[in-house]
């Protein structure tokens, strides 16, 4: 039996991070602060224009899984890469970090390995330009059933909904986790995802998910309301636990009739890349170890604060030591 504490499914994307002035973004037609999908030719142009590059195995849920692995949980990530230089780099990077990556690089993949060109502005805001290559073609057949034996938590990535195969992978994985008695959750990923896939997200939350993590824009977009509480009311009517991050404002967490607000210390980030991913890692660590809703939220806030203090989407400090210093463990 595998007995993984957390199994993630998402886009296996190599993150390529570079610094850029706002004038550069304007010149290149890059909309600041959001994730934009780009075609292969555009991806190559942006890659060539980067003045400095930091490359790391990435993808939203993959970053979360890496954070959980650094906290000592047993983790696996189900993703798809092509058997090319970036794909081999990605697979090795995940394994070297202690996360099982069961699907080997695929020679027959139709597209190159996915990559995201991330431009970090002087104010720390990140502008993501993502080429959905092989990672977005993950489907039902790429979900290995033996990974779920003894599994406890499944965490899904909303970005993967951009192709129909991703929906089949999610359905298969959620069913496998339900069969073994584990919990399943999803990150909404982006307001554009919530808008594009509103009906599918709402159905998934109502029928399959035990917890959902999103930010204020994602929640209000999903339920087509400017009233955040109204949106969360709709979600909690169908789902056991819902979480909303609100940038520098307190994080809102709800479980049944329980409501918790966790304050956030406002700072100017060095690089906001991965803030939501590592919030999810902290929250899920608390969730996996049976902590209270408040402690789960505080762990999430602490992990997010760590990652925005440096370039790159994954923790560099010892998160468990940070939790201990705050009396969280």
């Amino acid at each position: 039996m595998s007995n993984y504490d957390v199994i993630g499914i998402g886009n296996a994307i190599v993150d390529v991070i570079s610094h850029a002035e706002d004038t550069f973004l304007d010149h290149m037609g890059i909309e600041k602060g959001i994730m934009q999908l780009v075609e292969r030719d555009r991806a190559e142009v942006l890659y060539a224009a980067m003045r400095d590059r930091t490359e790391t195995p990435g993808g939203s849920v993959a970053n979360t899984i890496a954070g959980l692995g650094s906290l000592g949980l047993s983790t696996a990530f189900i993703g798809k890469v092509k058997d090319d230089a970036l794909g081999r780099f990605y697979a090795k990077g995940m394994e070297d970090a202690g996360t099982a990556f069961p699907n080997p690089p695929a020679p027959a993949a139709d597209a190159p390995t996915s990559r995201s060109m991330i431009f970090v502005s002087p104010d720390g805001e990140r502008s993501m330009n993502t080429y959905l290559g092989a990672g977005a073609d993950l489907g039902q057949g790429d979900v290995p059933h033996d990974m779920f034996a003894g599994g406890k938590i499944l965490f899904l990535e909303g970005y993967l909904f951009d192709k129909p195969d991703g929906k089949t992978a999610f359905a298969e994985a959620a069913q496998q986790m339900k069969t073994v008695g584990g919990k399943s959750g999803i990150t909404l990923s982006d307001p554009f995802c919530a808008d594009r896939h509103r009906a599918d997200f709402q159905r998934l939350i109502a029928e399959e998910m035990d917890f959902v993590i999103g930010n204020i824009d994602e929640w209000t977009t999903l339920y087509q309301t400017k009233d955040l509480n109204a949106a969360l009311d709709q979600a909690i009517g169908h789902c056991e636990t819902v979480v909303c991050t609100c940038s520098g404002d307190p994080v809102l967490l709800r479980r049944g009739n329980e409501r918790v607000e966790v304050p956030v210390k406002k700072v100017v980030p060095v690089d906001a890349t991965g803030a939501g991913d590592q919030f999810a890692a902290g929250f899920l660590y608390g969730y996996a170890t049976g902590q209270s809703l408040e402690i789960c939220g505080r762990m999430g806030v602490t992990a997010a604060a760590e990652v925005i203090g440096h370039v790159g989407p994954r923790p560099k400090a010892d998160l468990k030591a940070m939790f201990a210093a705050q009396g969280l463990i």
Side-chain angles (χ1 to χ4, degrees):
M1 294 179 67
S2 56
N3 293 309
Y4 290 111
D5 293 310
V6 185
I7 300 170
I9 297 184
N11 269 318
I13 299 175
V14 176
D15 286 336
V16 187
I17 304 171
S18 176
H19 293 90
E21 301 291 334
D22 289 351
T23 51
F24 173 86
L25 302 183
D26 291 341
H27 176 70
M28 297 299 293
I30 297 170
E31 188 169 349
K32 183 177 178 179
I34 67 166
M35 192 281 286
Q36 295 175 291
L37 299 180
V38 298
E39 297 299 324
R40 184 173 178 176
D41 289 348
R42 170 73 166 165
E44 291 175 353
V45 168
L46 293 177
Y47 185 86
M50 293 177 128
R51 73 181 189 203
D52 58 340
R53 300 188 189 103
T54 299
E55 295 183 347
T56 180
S60 175
V61 164
N63 290 335
T64 297
I65 294 299
L68 287 164
S70 76
L71 283 160
L73 296 190
S74 174
T75 58
F77 179 69
I78 298 171
K80 186 173 185 177
V81 296
K82 186 177 177 64
D83 188 7
D84 55 19
L86 283 180
R88 292 187 291 272
F89 165 79
Y90 190 97
K92 183 178 186 300
M94 295 298 289
E95 295 283 359
D96 287 350
T99 291
F101 189 70
N103 294 334
D110 292 333
T113 296
S114 305
R115 72 288 308 265
S116 182
M117 278 63 63
I118 303 171
F119 295 93
V120 181
S121 305
D123 61 1
E125 188 59 85
R126 81 270 193 256
S127 306
M128 303 168 65
N129 300 263
T130 302
Y131 166 60
L132 295 176
D137 293 330
L138 185 82
Q140 183 177 359
D142 298 306
V143 178
H145 291 186
D146 58 355
M147 298 291 294
F148 293 85
K152 299 177 180 64
I153 295 172
L154 172 68
F155 192 45
L156 306 174
E157 179 179 318
Y159 284 132
L160 202 58
F161 259 52
D162 276 308
K163 288 192 177 181
D165 285 348
K167 298 181 177 70
T168 68
F170 281 9
E172 180 66 25
Q175 182 56 51
Q176 290 298 320
M177 187 54 73
K178 184 179 292 186
T179 297
V180 301
K183 300 282 191 179
S184 295
I186 190 169
T187 170
L188 297 178
S189 294
D190 190 277
F192 293 104
C193 284
D195 187 50
R196 284 192 296 266
H197 309 294
R198 181 174 291 108
D200 284 330
F201 272 143
Q202 290 185 3
R203 181 200 57 77
L204 194 68
I205 291 169
E207 298 177 6
E208 304 285 353
M209 297 295 100
D210 298 292
F211 64 92
V212 182
I213 302 173
N215 65 32
I216 185 170
D217 292 331
E218 292 158 4
W219 280 116
T220 55
T221 297
L222 180 62
Y223 289 104
Q224 294 180 289
T225 175
K226 295 182 180 179
D227 185 337
L228 175 60
N229 287 322
L232 297 182
D233 285 343
Q234 291 189 64
I236 204 66
H238 301 288
C239 185
E240 179 182 283
T241 303
V242 298
V243 181
C244 180
T245 59
C246 304
S247 190
D249 293 326
V251 176
L252 308 178
L253 305 99
R254 294 178 60 174
R255 178 183 293 152
N257 293 325
E258 182 183 4
R259 299 168 181 249
V260 173
E261 290 191 14
V262 175
V264 174
K265 183 179 180 181
K266 294 185 179 182
V267 297
V268 176
V270 173
D271 173 15
T273 309
D277 305 338
Q278 295 313 319
F279 171 86
F283 171 84
L284 284 173
Y285 180 79
Y287 188 86
T289 56
Q291 304 300 321
S292 69
L293 200 58
E294 180 181 1
I295 294 298
C296 290
R298 290 177 62 190
M299 287 178 167
V301 167
T302 299
E306 189 282 335
V307 81
I308 66 174
H310 56 77
V311 174
R314 299 186 175 186
K316 293 185 178 179
D318 185 335
L319 291 179
K320 190 173 284 188
M322 294 177 71
F323 293 166
Q326 296 183 28
L328 303 179
I329 56 175

